[in-house]
DNA sequence: CGTGTGATTGACGCCTGTCAACGTCTGTGG
DNA sequence: CCACAGACGTTGACAGGCGTCAATCACACG
């Protein structure tokens, strides 16, 4: 992906908006957003925003992948979600008038669109449908995150790792060879499973020798999806 | 608390609204709400709504205490929060157009006010300030729950139990004798700590013999708050 | 080719979940 | 008002899952 020569469309014709909460915004307002928005490229591993900093706008992924993490009070990093094309993130803290409680980091090279807070608030006030759409989106995401935590806690590691693999698959999909289309480190997988690197690797090795997955270097190939799902649902 | 002889005020003069998100709603609309709302009493231990049922309105605690629980896929109950006077609950699923993902249960005898979904949506459309207040409230709560999960996970039991005691204290306060003003069972405390009853009791006994708390029957008296906080923050 | 980062595996020990036995309280019915 | 049953609280014994640490291996990069 050559960001240098990528031609950024205006909001009015941007196809990404149809994958987001901005799909039904009318043209006049889109022109408005187009003027006030900023387009920001981020390199792989760059921080987009940091927990405890002050939010002053909403982020949308135009291109690339973003990881959203929390650091608990022990300093352990937990991955609570990913954002890909069309996903908005970070707006919950903004609308709660709080500092960010998560950190957003680019996984790939990314193009992020940024809409300032005042513009969003103006839209919520002016457009009830937009407000309702934002509620729906926000609270859906909330439910997902809460369910994830709820399910990860108090479960044996095998199950947590299996769930993590399914989560990665849902977020990024598989490529042609059934390989998880994400270059995540083992540590990052452990951060999804809310476990440690060593234990997670051990479990992946087990899955490998049991024929559920195949480890090809850092790549993970899904061999037996039904059994993997079964492992995730166990008990 | 004698619910039979309690005289329910109209919304227009109800003092509880100032402790909720409805404090700044104007009189005309209050009269409107007053007509469409329902006032529902619940007895101790009664279910207010059940996970996986369909939300068709917003609940407000007028009087009493409510516990909000999730049951994970292992069937383990987790307490994710409490609602007391003026707290609204269950609206997130309603606005996400999803089924409830939590169950709400009366801890005490309660009086719950119920405002139908259409009325809330009408208000969000009509009143941008109300919408923004609801966003702020909802996402604040979201952050709290996410932080709670995040902090409970991957921590030693002593810390989780200490955090749970502080959480109960924040939710219900202490009475004159520094005793936690909530009649929660040991099992319920374990459900907050995301642990088991037996292990939680063991830890409470430790705290007891170490002089952090005093166990008086089911009552828990806080003896040394600073050390309890320290225990919760440890490492 | 050397250095550093990440992946893997082994060894070890402890925390905590599980199960069971027993004590305590509460509320109900006779 | 008492007796009993059932729910809840408490404690002990035990096992094993998983976190921790460290050594080694694989690989990328200058």
């Amino acid at each position: 992906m050559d960001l240098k020569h990528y031609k950024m469309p205006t909001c009015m014709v941007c196809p990404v908006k149809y994958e987001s909460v901005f799909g039904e915004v009318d043209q006049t307002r889109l022109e408005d957003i187009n003027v006030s928005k900023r387009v920001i490229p981020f390199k792989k591993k760059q921080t987009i925003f940091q927990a405890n900093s002050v939010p002053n706008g909403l982020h949308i992924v135009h291109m690339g992948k973003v990881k959203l993490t929390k650091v608990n009070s022990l300093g352990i990093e937990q991955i609570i979600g990913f954002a890909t094309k069309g996903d908005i993130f970070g707006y919950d803290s903004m609308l709660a008038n709080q500092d960010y409680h998560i950190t957003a980091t680019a996984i790939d090279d990314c193009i992020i669109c940024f809409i300032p807070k005042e513009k969003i608030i103006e839209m919520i006030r002016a457009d009830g449908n937009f407000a309702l759409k934002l509620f729906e989106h926000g609270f859906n995401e909330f439910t997902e995150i809460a369910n994830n935590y709820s399910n990860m806690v108090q479960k044996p590691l095998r199950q947590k790792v299996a769930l993590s693999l399914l989560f990665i698959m849902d977020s990024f999909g598989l490529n042609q060879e059934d390989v998880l289309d994400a270059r995540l480190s083992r540590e990052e997988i452990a951060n999804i499973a809310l476990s440690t690197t060593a234990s997670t690797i051990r479990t992946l090795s087990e899955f490998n020798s049991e024929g559920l997955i195949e480890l090809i270097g850092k790549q993970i190939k899904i061999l037996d999806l039904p059994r993997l799902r079964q492992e995730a649902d166990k008990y």
Side-chain angles (χ1 to χ4, degrees), chain A residues 54-71:
Chain A
V54 178
N56 39 36
L58 175 153
H59 297 259
I60 311 162
V61 180
H62 181 80
M63 189 182 285
K65 294 167 187 162
V66 173
K67 112 183 141 173
L68 305 171
T69 57
K70 259 182 113 60
V71 176

Side-chain angles (χ1 to χ4, degrees), chain A residues 35-180:
Chain A
V35 173
S36 54
K37 77 151 195 294
R38 278 192 295 148
V39 178
I40 316 175
F42 287 93
K43 294 226 167 290
K44 186 177 169 171
K45 295 201 177 182
Q46 219 181 330
T47 301
I48 298 171
F49 59 73
Q50 189 85 40
N52 301 317
S53 63
V54 178
N56 39 36
L58 175 153
H59 297 259
I60 311 162
V61 180
H62 181 80
M63 189 182 285
K65 294 167 187 162
V66 173
K67 112 183 141 173
L68 305 171
T69 57
K70 259 182 113 60
V71 176
N72 76 4
S73 54
L74 297 179
I76 300 174
E77 188 163 295
Q78 304 168 343
I79 295 183
I80 65 165
F82 297 105
T84 56
K85 192 163 74 158
D87 289 340
I88 60 180
F89 59 95
Y91 58 100
D92 56 331
S93 298
M94 175 183 85
L95 290 174
N97 293 315
Q98 288 185 332
D99 292 349
Y100 284 120
H101 61 108
I102 58 172
T103 299
T105 312
I107 297 180
D108 293 326
D109 290 352
C110 287
I111 298 177
I112 305 294
C113 296
F114 174 88
I115 305 177
K117 179 171 180 175
E118 309 79 54
K119 189 57 59 185
I120 299 295
I121 288 185
E122 186 188 317
M123 285 179 69
I124 291 172
R125 281 191 202 283
D127 183 350
N129 277 332
F130 179 76
L132 285 169
K133 256 194 137 50
L134 205 52
F135 272 120
E136 181 171 351
H137 183 278
F139 289 136
N140 264 307
E141 205 156 70
F142 164 42
T143 303
E144 237 175 81
I145 292 171
N147 284 343
N148 244 327
Y149 267 120
S150 173
N151 280 327
M152 285 298 182
V153 177
Q154 297 168 310
K155 284 198 180 175
L157 187 57
R158 282 176 66 89
Q159 211 168 340
K160 298 203 287 181
V161 172
L163 281 166
S164 301
L165 292 176
L166 294 175
F167 180 68
I168 296 168
M169 197 181 76
D170 280 349
S171 302
F172 301 120
L174 299 175
N175 70 11
Q176 297 81 349
E177 290 95 22
D178 286 337
V179 169
L180 286 180

Side-chain angles (χ1 to χ4, degrees), chain A residues 175-190:
Chain A
N175 70 11
Q176 297 81 349
E177 290 95 22
D178 286 337
V179 169
L180 286 180
D181 209 359
R183 284 179 245 106
L184 297 177
S185 69
R186 296 296 190 252
E187 187 181 9
E188 284 172 317
I189 297 176

